Amino acid sequence: MVLVVNQAYDDSGHEDSGHPERPERVSAVRAGIDDLHLGSDLIVVPDRVVTREELTRVHDSGYLEELAAYCYEGGGDLDQDTYATFSSWPVAKQAAGAGLAVIEELHRRGDGVGFVVTRPPGHHALRDRAMGFCLLNNIAVAAAALRSLGERVLIVDWDVHHGNGTQEIFWNDAEVLYVSTHQWPLFPGSGAASEVGGRLAIDRTVNIPLSPGATGDILRQAFDDIAAPVIDSFSPTWVLVSAGFDAHRADPMGDLHLTSNDFAAVASSVANFVPRPGRLAMFLEGGYDLDALRSSVHATLRSVLGEAVATEQSSRGEPRGDYVTRVQRDRLAAIEALYSSHDEEST
Amino acid sequence: MNTLRTIAVGYDGSSGSEAAVRWSLTLANATHSTVIVLHAIGLLEHLYTAYPRDVTPPAIVAMAKELAFDEQRLHWHVDDGDACSVLLRAGSSPLDADLLVVGSRGRGQRTGMLLGSTTLEVAEHTLTPLVIVPSRFEED
Ligand SMILES: [Zn+2]
């Protein structure tokens, strides 16, 4: 199977001295891809400019204008975590366009797996606000483009942080299923199991919060027991992944204990839901330990390209009793409450 | 309007946020309200511990003493998230604040633009009454 990636673009202007969201992250990811030695099975697609219409499907136009002006005036801190520079606006637009370019190439081929190597990341970006290192929500721009073509889109987000921006954007959209595994409690503070979608999209949001220290076996069990049945009944026509690698045990930004092999295993579970070849695209989100990022990207891509993975061992932790059952119980209670309040209103 | 039971005030260690805490304590002394001092733990703060979850910062304890504020009605609350989201969440359960208070400018913020200003972002989105305390309040 071929791997479709976006061409490298100049992201060097989006940098803040000492900040962990830095250009070297992209180099580490590219090295992880090079380690695959794909030869002619590696397809690099050229830049693609994202249009205003493609951005305003998921972002307020006022926010886009302000962000462009803020950068043009030299940028600065957008909040305690998130910076913008003079170059950040064009770099962020490149990131959003790269996802569209990869998806269009997959669509044209009807084959392959896509990996979108972008920074800044996107999944915390809200409709009208930058946060958590994110300016534009790259995966949401791509999902909305597919949605406009009538596709049913599954977004799986295994970054250590909850993708609050993506969840908010598709909260009431029944044609997009958002599934997130993340550490909780942790930034951004959202992503409780009881957050199950809005009234127009009940059970189209699946949150699987994991305790600090959780290992890959818990994550896989939670994904298989909780998310898989929902995905099955949703029957996506496209699968997108917010592939953050900061849940790796070496990453300084979180406290989960995953290994590169765990990412490969969950990627393999996700790939089972891809309806046909050429319908899976992964987007880089977090991942701040460069060695872990390189090995995790490598293991993940090997797995979805159908090759055996043997880099690190999968992680196993202490038995955690009925943890998965409790998460599922909270979810089902929230779903039931939403349906019954709906019924009360309509009687 | 109901009585003013709970005032939530944002604190990031900046002089602007100290002015906001001082103003809140002064108001709460007059209205016998509870004051929740809120601190948002962002992504970067995961890399170091600026404010422990269970220890009220000494600067706030000292301010409460100076204003003879009843420490039983003073609560330190640390929440995960960006400052704007944490402040907005304080208006609903479980904190249920009746009033939000912020400084006019927090750490590293630029003047005159909506972007980059937690204060203006909160003002735009809040469903709870909001007071913005000018930094100069502290000097009076
Ligand atoms: Zn992350």
Side-chain angles (χ1 to χ4, degrees), chain A residues 23 42 100 137 161 193 221 292:
Chain A
L42 178 66
L100 297 171
N137 197 316
H161 304 101
Q221 188 196 343

Side-chain angles (χ1 to χ4, degrees), chain A residues 25 121 123-124 132-133 157-162 186-187 244-247 251 253 285-288, chain B residues 43:
Chain A
R25 297 179 59 240
H123 72 152
H124 295 305
F133 308 169
D157 184 336
W158 67 53
D159 189 278
V160 78
H161 304 101
H162 179 241
L186 187 67
F187 180 95
F245 296 97
D246 42 9
D251 199 284
M253 301 295 286
E285 301 283 0
Y288 305 93
Chain B
L43 275 174

Side-chain angles (χ1 to χ4, degrees), chain A residues 147-225:
Chain A
R147 177 81 178 75
S148 73
L149 300 172
E151 304 289 353
R152 290 165 65 76
V153 185
L154 165 66
I155 301 175
V156 175
D157 184 336
W158 67 53
D159 189 278
V160 78
H161 304 101
H162 179 241
N164 59 306
T166 312
Q167 172 172 299
E168 183 212 65
I169 288 166
F170 297 113
W171 184 246
N172 255 318
D173 188 336
E175 300 300 311
V176 176
L177 172 60
Y178 177 70
V179 174
S180 176
T181 60
H182 47 269
Q183 181 182 326
W184 202 86
L186 187 67
F187 180 95
S190 52
S194 57
E195 295 167 25
V196 293
R199 285 170 181 242
L200 303 177
I202 298 172
D203 207 17
R204 290 291 192 262
T205 294
V206 178
N207 279 305
I208 303 177
L210 300 164
S211 311
T215 40
D217 50 344
I218 289 282
L219 182 136
R220 286 196 306 280
Q221 188 196 343
F223 187 87
D224 291 346
D225 291 1

Side-chain angles (χ1 to χ4, degrees), chain A residues 62-74:
Chain A
Y63 166 64
L64 298 172
E65 279 154 25
E66 285 227 21
L67 181 60
Y70 191 80
C71 295
Y72 188 73
E73 291 182 13

